[in-house]
Amino acid sequence: DGTTRNIDVSKTNFINDWDGDLIYAHTSGAILKWDDTSDDTISLDLKTKDIDFGQPAQKKRVYKVRVTYKSSGASNVDVDFAINGVDSWTEIFSGLADTSNAWSTVELSVTPADIYSFMLRFQSNGTTPASFEINDVSIVYRLKGAR
């Protein structure tokens, strides 16, 4: 049954079965067919990798984050950041707004200076509509000179 939600269980890699369907298994041994239909969710916790902009040993300054997204309903999605690989989050935006399912770009000001790496988290503890999508994320930064 591909409609079962298995959020907090270990899963295998995807494979194609003899019918060409994308399938996977999880810890109970059940084999499920992938279903890419969006569903409303009550929680969202999407984190980027620890981004070092290709220069892990050089300090940087992050100025802005631009997020292009769409949603047909209040998303309750907050945007947070963390620096230097430390899982300590600072909120930079609360509640990405309803865009009537049209792409919209929000520009978020960020304050970290003299950092080595930067992570983003999109998080919601409320209802996130099935229509919520992120198209792209751009980070405006500058490399700092050696001191």
Side-chain angles (χ1 to χ4, degrees), residues 97-122:
D98 179 353
T99 66
S100 299
N101 221 25
W103 291 111
S104 179
T105 300
V106 63
E107 189 169 276
L108 313 172
S109 294
V110 185
T111 56
D114 296 336
I115 64 169
Y116 291 99
S117 63
F118 185 79
M119 294 184 291
L120 284 171
R121 176 175 70 177
F122 298 87

Side-chain angles (χ1 to χ4, degrees), residues 48-53 82-86 116-119:
T48 67
K49 67 178 188 172
D50 195 23
I51 304 164
D52 62 19
F53 307 102
I83 59 172
N84 301 334
V86 178
Y116 291 99
S117 63
F118 185 79
M119 294 184 291

